[in-house]
Amino acid sequence: VSISDFLTLFSCRTGADWFWTSSPAPILLLAGFIALSTSTILALVWPASYPDGIYTLGLGRRQPYMLVVYIWLYCLVWWLIQDIFKVLAYKLLTHLNLFGFNDTGMVVHTHSDDLHINIHTPPHSPRHNHTNTTNNNNNMNNHREEYSDIKDDISNETTGLLVGSYCDDDIL
């Protein structure tokens, strides 16, 4: 699970593009190397034990000794398949404008089209008026009310989707 989960990060960070079209940031590569190496080493050398009452023994302590290689190959093959389906899904969303994807850049719940909140505008950006403290407090309360309305709308609905991905390109 650790291998497939971390590989998914490398796929999802590129959005509609193939995972190899954009180099990941060095910090992500380092984190990936540390996480994948550590999980693989632990899976290989884990001593015989009973965590949660289940007998566990490291992959390197029993046959087939090549099982770790097969697990890595399995994860890599499914990672490529996952990336293919990701790119195809984006192409389908764009081509058919499913869920208004071309209008917003994300799949939008049909009942939330009229609700908008900008959660990515920093509080000290030029778009905010800081000359009047009362005005700023009113703006914050309005944003809280809008967020509350969106949250209530999402939790009360059983159909439709509100899915968006927000990434900081400097990190990923």
Side-chain angles (χ1 to χ4, degrees), residues 140-150:
M140 281 181 28
N141 288 333
N142 288 340
H143 284 299
R144 283 189 188 119
E145 289 172 13
E146 288 176 23
Y147 175 75
S148 177
D149 291 344
I150 291 171

Side-chain angles (χ1 to χ4, degrees), residues 10-27:
F10 288 109
S11 179
C12 74
R13 56 175 275 288
T14 57
D17 295 326
W18 300 100
F19 73 88
W20 63 78
T21 59
S22 172
S23 298
I27 189 81

